[in-house]
Amino acid sequence: MNEVPQRGGEKKSRAGRDLPAAIAVGGTLGISIIAILIFVPKVWYGLVAVAFAIATWEVVKRLRTGGYEVALWPLLIGGQAIIWASWPWGPTGALVAFVATVLVAMVWKLLGQGINHAPVNYLRDLAVTVFVLAWLPLLASFGAHLVVQDDGAARVATLMVVVVCSDVGGYAAGVLFGKHPMAPAISPKKSWEGMVGSLVVGTVGAVGCVVYLLGSHWWIGIILGPVLVVCATLGDLVESQVKRDLGIKDMGTLLPGHGGIMDRLDSLLPSAFVVWVVLTGLL
């Protein structure tokens, strides 16, 4: 299993995680999502909304510990508005809710310390607030909206399967062959060999999903796979850089072996946008 003993008898993988716990949690989440997509696909919207409310709280808590006074309530309430507005109105609804929330955040931060005292670090904290708003609920809205499109459950399943294939391929290739770090200053354990594994397994998964789940042309998977893998990897690196800036390992502790909810969503966020764009444009 490529594990090395750690202090206290705990065993962790070369990725630095408690692998049995990570597999158990990942398997439980995967089975739950499959059941939802098969039996009650519209519940996917509620699942996304709850997950990103928790993820937003995790990120805000970490940012505040790091000295950033981001606007929590506009992020929580506006984030829900962005996700749910995409159900009836698609990306247009999500974008309108996003802009409205930015405006609320601008005023919220302006009045946060009273009109007689200028807020400290107003520009910095507002910029970080807008970044979190775009990073989490805006990107998540594209993943949520997949389920109300034609073959919606299959589209969501495609997103999840290809991201998992990318992770598995990257982990296996990295552990077995990884020698050349890809971004050592951001994520030392990522290697170019792992990236190749992600591309190969992720593309195979994308072709299989497009052909067997969506009943469409195999070449769409050839396009979807590599683009999604690259974006998923970049999404993971973005969160790694944020955590490095804050001096933390994980955004939270809710999921044993994984960290917080946000630590499992980092690669899914840009991937959701990619899947929405490619499948909406080509199917």
Side-chain angles (χ1 to χ4, degrees):
M1 295 297 292
N2 295 299
E3 295 177 344
V4 294
Q6 301 294 322
R7 292 181 180 177
E10 182 185 3
K11 290 186 175 182
K12 293 187 179 181
S13 69
R14 286 178 60 181
R17 296 291 182 185
D18 182 350
L19 194 57
I23 292 174
V25 171
T28 301
L29 292 174
I31 292 170
S32 300
I33 291 172
I34 290 171
I36 287 173
L37 293 178
I38 292 175
F39 298 109
V40 281
K42 295 301 189 293
V43 172
W44 173 249
Y45 251 96
L47 181 63
V48 172
V50 171
F52 278 91
I54 297 173
T56 299
W57 180 82
E58 289 178 341
V59 172
V60 169
K61 181 181 178 181
R62 291 297 197 181
L63 287 170
R64 286 187 166 180
T65 301
Y68 298 92
E69 290 298 324
V70 294
L72 173 61
W73 289 109
L75 281 171
L76 287 176
I77 298 173
Q80 293 298 299
I82 291 168
I83 292 171
W84 288 103
S86 69
W87 187 331
W89 300 298
T92 300
L95 182 60
V96 169
F98 171 77
V99 174
T101 305
V102 170
L103 294 176
V104 170
M106 291 168 64
V107 177
W108 185 279
K109 292 301 300 175
L110 187 66
L111 302 180
Q113 293 178 302
I115 59 175
N116 294 323
H117 298 87
V120 177
N121 293 320
Y122 173 80
L123 185 59
R124 184 200 66 178
D125 293 340
L126 179 61
V128 174
T129 298
V130 175
F131 166 72
V132 173
L133 197 66
W135 184 26
L136 273 68
L138 185 59
L139 287 178
S141 68
F142 289 92
H145 189 252
L146 286 170
V147 82
V148 298
Q149 296 181 309
D150 294 336
D151 297 319
R155 295 185 185 219
V156 174
T158 297
L159 165 64
M160 305 302 292
V161 167
V162 180
V163 170
V164 169
C165 286
S166 174
D167 287 346
V168 170
Y171 178 82
V175 167
L176 294 174
F177 310 111
K179 293 182 179 179
H180 301 89
M182 184 171 64
I186 302 174
S187 183
K189 291 184 173 64
K190 286 192 179 297
S191 66
W192 286 109
E193 291 82 1
M195 183 64 176
V196 172
S198 291
L199 286 168
V200 172
V201 180
T203 301
V204 170
V207 172
C209 287
V210 169
V211 172
Y212 296 108
L213 289 181
L214 297 170
S216 192
H217 305 292
W218 62 269
W219 56 266
I220 296 177
I222 296 294
I223 295 173
L224 176 64
V227 176
L228 190 153
V229 167
V230 170
C231 287
T233 302
L234 292 174
D236 186 57
L237 289 174
V238 165
E239 197 208 14
S240 294
Q241 182 60 58
V242 171
K243 291 189 291 188
R244 186 170 289 273
D245 282 357
L246 295 174
I248 59 175
K249 180 181 179 182
D250 296 316
M251 284 294 183
T253 58
L254 187 61
L255 302 177
H258 292 271
I261 291 288
M262 185 59 202
D263 296 298
R264 289 299 87 205
L265 297 175
D266 52 2
S267 58
L268 282 168
L269 287 166
S271 302
F273 176 74
V274 167
V275 171
W276 187 90
V277 169
V278 172
L279 297 186
T280 301
L282 298 180
L283 292 185

